[in-house]
Amino acid sequence: MGRLTTSFVLGYHGCDAEVAREAVNRGTPILQSDRAYDWLGPGAYFWESDPTRAMEWARWKVERGEYSQPAVVGAIIDLRNCLDLTNREDVDLVSHAYDSFAQLQDRAGLPLPTNKSVNGDPNADLLLHFLDCAAFRHLHQLVAKAGMEPFDTIRGVFTEGDRAFPGSEIRQKTHTQIAVRSNDCIKRLFYPLEDGVIQFAAET
């Protein structure tokens, strides 16, 4: 469970330029998302090895009027105790957590949340992960109740976007996403390559 992953990866976080400056120059922690539809549950989100996808996200947020200027922050991430959804055993853990959560909802007479598409999405991708997020939250509760070591990070692969070419099952926005639950896992922050130079944040 989480021990078969490589230790360090590079992740990229799309954000507003002011947030990037604060993170890289002053060491301000990346904000942890805690929305009911977060894909991997609560955490600070990064695209693994994909600064281009992170910048696409930031530009989309600008189009929506949520950011002023798009930017990307790179991070050296120590996955540590990682719930890795590319690993069969870890997927089984989430499945068992779902079963437990579904039983609780049924006993309480409450409906299960559902994953939903964003209005206007041409691919009808289920981008609002209400059900998945609820399962992850419940898993974290089960882990804490059992006195087990909490997960520091969660890693998953998601298919998204248009087909790469006609008849293909490869999607243009398919990506590996990491939710960092413990800020200690973020070892260094930097701006992605610019003129061949990586600009690291000062050590804290």
Side-chain angles (χ1 to χ4, degrees):
M1 163 171 92
R3 297 303 184 188
L4 301 179
T5 58
T6 55
S7 182
F8 292 95
V9 298
L10 294 181
Y12 297 90
H13 177 79
C15 58
D16 186 83
E18 181 59 30
V19 173
R21 282 190 291 270
E22 288 291 319
V24 175
N25 297 331
R26 298 186 180 181
T28 303
I30 299 294
L31 179 67
Q32 293 219 0
S33 182
D34 192 18
R35 297 169 298 191
Y37 53 83
D38 284 331
W39 291 28
L40 296 171
Y45 276 74
F46 295 85
W47 276 274
E48 184 178 327
S49 306
D50 197 348
T52 300
R53 186 69 187 93
M55 179 56 78
E56 288 176 351
W57 165 264
R59 287 172 176 162
W60 177 71
K61 298 287 273 188
V62 170
E63 292 174 1
R64 291 168 57 89
E66 298 177 39
Y67 292 169
S68 297
Q69 182 180 353
V72 173
V73 173
I76 299 175
I77 302 170
D78 182 357
L79 295 175
R80 294 204 316 206
N81 187 29
C82 178
L83 180 69
D84 189 349
L85 302 180
T86 67
N87 178 294
R88 177 64 178 272
E89 291 183 3
D90 287 5
V91 173
D92 286 345
L93 284 177
V94 182
S95 297
H96 293 319
Y98 163 80
D99 290 339
S100 172
F101 176 68
Q103 290 173 12
L104 287 177
Q105 292 294 98
D106 183 61
R107 287 199 294 267
L110 297 173
L112 285 170
T114 57
N115 295 338
K116 298 179 180 179
S117 297
V118 175
N119 291 336
D121 178 16
N123 300 297
D125 291 325
L126 300 178
L127 301 180
L128 302 177
H129 290 218
F130 291 102
L131 177 60
D132 297 339
C133 187
F136 287 120
R137 289 178 186 272
H138 188 66
L139 174 60
H140 295 318
Q141 292 172 358
L142 293 175
V143 168
K145 186 176 181 179
M148 298 168 60
E149 181 182 0
F151 291 108
D152 298 300
T153 57
I154 303 179
R155 180 174 181 262
V157 177
F158 296 94
T159 57
E160 181 188 354
D162 295 329
R163 297 180 187 275
F165 48 87
S168 175
E169 285 304 315
I170 302 169
R171 303 287 177 163
Q172 291 181 341
K173 293 183 179 180
T174 293
H175 60 276
T176 301
Q177 200 165 98
I178 300 170
V180 178
R181 303 183 68 239
S182 173
N183 285 332
D184 291 342
C185 292
I186 301 175
K187 297 307 180 183
R188 295 292 297 273
L189 296 175
F190 60 91
Y191 286 120
L193 282 172
E194 183 174 347
D195 297 329
V197 178
I198 293 179
Q199 302 179 40
F200 280 97
E203 294 214 32
T204 57

